Amino acid sequence: MASNTITTLNYFLPPSDGSRPYTDIYAPSGKPVHNWIEDPHEVQIEDVRGKEELYKLDNAGFQYGREAPKHTSFLNDDEIKREYYPESIDLMKRVTGATKIVIFDHTVRRRLPGETDSGPEKRQPVPRAHVDQTPAASVARVHRHLPPTEVPSLLSKRFQIINLWRPISHAAVDWPLALCDFQSVDFKEDLLPVALIYPDREGETFGVKYNPNHQWKYLKAMTPEEFVLIKCSESIEDGSVARLGPHTAFKDVNTPEGAPPRESIELRALVFYD
């Protein structure tokens, strides 16, 4: 039976001094890791179990599915790339109809109570409403990961960035993933470009600003046999399809005492169509 939950989600506000928002994970001592303002708001999140079929990549910006992975350990990055990437490319092609998919990275998250997101081995669920790439950052990803001779042709057709997210080891009862229906998002007003500063380059994400119209959804107790595709970028910008799906981890007040900490993996993929 579906069960909605009330929780606090962390939104973004731009810096009060009008400067460009940034996150610098490797900031030198004395420099703040970020200059944007965290803006918590109480929201309702609807459990869509039993009506997952209503939510598709092209209307909501996300899409649930069920298919157990053949790779199940998720302990070794090389094994993940060798075993999980190919089966995930096959899955994503079947679901989306895409002709070419290039996975450019992945993140395994194993929540450790009290731990900070301080390195690749300690990646924690992200408790802030965000989108992984802006349109400009998405195009930059194509240039970064594909041969220069292929880029013009690929970018002349439909192109997306899509994440494939699923729990690993056990159901994601603890700190589940919430997704915001794109049909409730004001693209021009709700999204705040945030520079993501690395030692050798710069990316750009969207922080999400609060809007009381936002409709947040989740699939309660998602299992490792279930997955969700999350659209982070879309080249069709005429309003006919969803352009992205904001998302965030959240603390579910209905989580039973003693539930195992959340473990999950997300793949990030460049998705191309003929």
Side-chain angles (χ1 to χ4, degrees):
M1 181 178 168
S3 58
N4 299 344
T5 187
I6 303 290
T7 191
T8 298
L9 295 187
N10 294 314
Y11 284 90
F12 286 70
L13 283 174
S16 53
D17 63 2
S19 59
R20 183 190 184 199
Y22 74 80
T23 298
D24 187 348
I25 301 166
Y26 305 98
S29 179
K31 180 185 178 182
V33 172
H34 65 80
N35 65 344
W36 43 264
I37 300 164
E38 199 164 86
D39 184 32
H41 287 269
E42 189 174 89
V43 302
Q44 175 174 284
I45 304 179
E46 180 187 3
D47 176 16
V48 297
R49 188 167 291 284
K51 50 185 177 183
E52 301 97 313
E53 288 300 313
L54 294 176
Y55 303 95
K56 302 293 187 183
L57 284 165
D58 280 350
N59 66 8
F62 59 89
Q63 185 167 332
Y64 294 103
R66 173 181 284 272
E67 184 166 304
K70 297 180 183 70
H71 180 88
T72 56
S73 64
F74 301 104
L75 294 172
N76 178 282
D77 280 345
D78 290 334
E79 287 183 3
I80 290 170
K81 291 173 183 176
R82 188 171 63 247
E83 298 174 8
Y84 187 56
Y85 278 26
E87 64 171 302
S88 298
I89 288 171
D90 176 66
L91 169 63
M92 294 177 78
K93 281 184 174 179
R94 282 186 280 114
V95 173
T96 64
T99 50
K100 181 182 180 70
I101 291 179
V102 178
I103 295 171
F104 60 87
D105 73 9
H106 70 271
T107 301
V108 174
R109 302 184 193 274
R110 291 184 167 92
R111 194 176 80 81
L112 300 168
E115 185 62 74
T116 57
D117 198 349
S118 56
E121 305 303 317
K122 298 181 178 180
R123 297 298 296 273
Q124 300 297 291
V126 179
R128 286 178 294 280
H130 69 284
V131 180
D132 293 19
Q133 278 92 20
T134 61
S138 301
V139 171
R141 280 283 182 188
V142 178
H143 285 276
R144 185 162 178 239
H145 298 293
L146 287 157
T149 52
E150 294 183 21
V151 170
S153 172
L154 291 170
L155 290 181
S156 71
K157 302 167 187 173
R158 190 181 188 185
F159 149 66
Q160 301 162 329
I161 290 184
I162 294 176
N163 291 2
L164 169 61
W165 186 98
R166 73 163 79 234
I168 55 180
S169 303
H170 49 261
V173 176
D174 169 77
W175 280 88
L177 185 71
L179 299 119
C180 189
D181 187 338
F182 181 77
Q183 295 164 109
S184 68
V185 174
D186 185 327
F187 190 90
K188 291 183 177 179
E189 297 297 327
D190 295 351
L191 302 170
L192 178 71
V194 178
L196 190 58
I197 300 170
Y198 298 95
D200 59 336
R201 62 188 177 85
E202 191 175 288
E204 191 175 57
T205 65
F206 275 135
V208 182
K209 294 188 284 186
Y210 177 68
N211 179 336
N213 295 324
H214 287 164
Q215 298 292 311
W216 288 95
K217 316 293 178 181
Y218 81 125
L219 194 61
K220 188 175 179 68
M222 273 185 78
T223 69
E225 292 73 43
E226 296 174 311
F227 65 88
V228 63
L229 297 179
I230 309 166
K231 190 185 288 188
C232 291
S233 187
E234 167 66 74
S235 63
I236 296 177
E237 300 178 354
D238 62 5
S240 62
V241 297
R243 292 182 61 180
L244 45 76
H247 50 282
T248 178
F250 72 97
K251 185 174 183 178
D252 186 352
V253 295
N254 299 315
T255 301
E257 190 75 29
R262 191 245 272 186
E263 300 184 21
S264 61
I265 182 168
E266 70 242 32
L267 302 180
R268 299 178 185 87
L270 307 173
V271 180
F272 302 98
Y273 299 81
D274 280 341

